[in-house]
Amino acid sequence: MKIFLDTANRELIKRFVPTGLIDGITTNPSHLSKEGDNPKQVLQDICNMVKGPVSIEVVEKEPDAVLAQAREIAKFAKNVVVKIPFAEQYLPVIKTLVAEGVKINVTLIFTPLQALMVAKLGVEMISPFVGRWDDIGVDGVELLEEVITVKDLYDFSSQILAASIRTLIQWQKITQTGVDIATLPPAVFEQAMKHPLTLRGIEMFDADWKKVGKKGIFD
Ligand code: E4P
């Protein structure tokens, strides 16, 4: 499973990249709205901070404008993936972009049928939104499993990217699905690295080692 951070916060990205676990970043207009800096600068910095793919979402609405903006985003950096929401009017746009070699992440996926349609167009990534399904009382991990089944049954090349993960429990369940990528809020990633029993165990070992009365283990 590849791990992406779902954020546009440069401080958090800078903090977690040294773990060696961050394979990419997903941004969206909501994330960028929280950064209080020029979005172009924020995105430029992020693309320089990580080697892996950085998803940048289109903000235009009309299909022709989305096409033009997607082309512009695609040229922005070598590691950019253009994020486009699922909609009927964008399918021809996506088809054109894929033919041009542009890497697309189709976002706001809520059914296996939406996933099937964009997988047929050859997109790079497909993002089912687990947490937003859970928000309305539907099992988001089940949706994810159905999307993965579609990918496997028909041998599509698109990578499935589990999005809208809000809790550690959701991420743990997602690890059992075999999904290609999980994009995590930094808080969930951070929480996963801390376990009270691990911390307590370290304290106990430290306390016992003090009783030995030596600094180094081979002193
Ligand atoms: C994914 O690419 C989206 O940016 C993200 O996961 C949305 O998550 P949310 O439903 O918590 O806003």
Side-chain angles (χ1 to χ4, degrees):
M1 173 191 278
K2 290 179 197 156
I3 297 176
F4 287 9
L5 286 181
D6 192 28
T7 185
N9 186 285
R10 288 164 291 183
E11 284 310 307
L12 292 168
I13 295 170
K14 192 170 158 197
R15 175 172 161 203
F16 292 128
V17 162
T19 62
L21 293 170
I22 306 305
D23 300 302
I25 305 289
T26 49
T27 67
N28 64 34
S30 307
H31 292 330
L32 287 168
S33 74
K34 293 177 196 142
E35 293 311 304
D37 196 357
N38 182 321
K40 186 176 179 187
Q41 186 61 54
V42 173
L43 292 167
Q44 189 66 68
D45 291 345
I46 294 174
C47 288
N48 290 336
M49 286 163 84
V50 293
K51 284 203 189 106
V54 176
S55 287
I56 301 179
E57 189 159 339
V58 293
V59 291
E60 291 289 353
K61 290 285 153 281
E62 290 307 312
D64 284 348
V66 168
L67 180 61
Q69 190 173 52
R71 284 177 175 146
E72 195 187 353
I73 294 172
K75 283 193 222 128
F76 185 68
K78 269 195 260 168
N79 50 345
V80 154
V81 175
V82 182
K83 216 198 238 191
I84 301 181
F86 185 96
E88 178 187 346
Q89 66 272 26
Y90 300 150
L91 295 177
V93 171
I94 292 169
K95 182 173 181 274
T96 303
L97 290 165
V98 170
E100 291 173 6
V102 174
K103 289 186 174 167
I104 310 284
N105 171 0
V106 183
T107 191
L108 291 166
I109 292 290
F110 289 97
T111 72
L113 294 178
Q114 291 176 322
L116 173 83
M117 286 186 258
V118 292
K120 278 176 69 71
L121 294 180
V123 299
E124 179 78 7
M125 295 169 190
I126 300 173
S127 296
F129 272 44
V130 173
R132 292 194 196 185
W133 255 130
D134 284 359
D135 289 346
I136 57 164
V138 180
D139 188 338
V141 174
E142 246 174 55
L143 158 79
L144 179 66
E145 281 165 349
E146 288 172 14
V147 168
I148 293 168
T149 301
V150 166
K151 172 188 155 138
D152 292 346
L153 276 176
Y154 301 101
D155 206 19
F156 287 122
S157 61
S158 309
Q159 299 182 73
I160 308 301
L161 186 159
S164 183
I165 298 169
R166 311 265 180 68
T167 68
L168 205 54
I169 301 281
Q170 277 170 339
W171 186 24
Q172 282 187 180
K173 282 192 186 158
I174 285 167
T175 62
Q176 305 304 299
T177 64
V179 75
D180 302 297
I181 307 164
T183 191
L184 304 169
V188 172
F189 182 65
E190 181 180 15
Q191 199 186 352
M193 287 186 287
K194 292 187 179 135
H195 195 287
L197 290 180
T198 305
L199 295 174
R200 195 169 141 225
I202 291 171
E203 281 166 16
M204 285 162 66
F205 287 143
D206 282 349
D208 287 340
W209 180 247
K210 280 199 185 92
K211 293 178 202 158
V212 177
K214 288 191 184 291
K215 192 163 175 281
I217 205 154
F218 301 121
D219 287 351

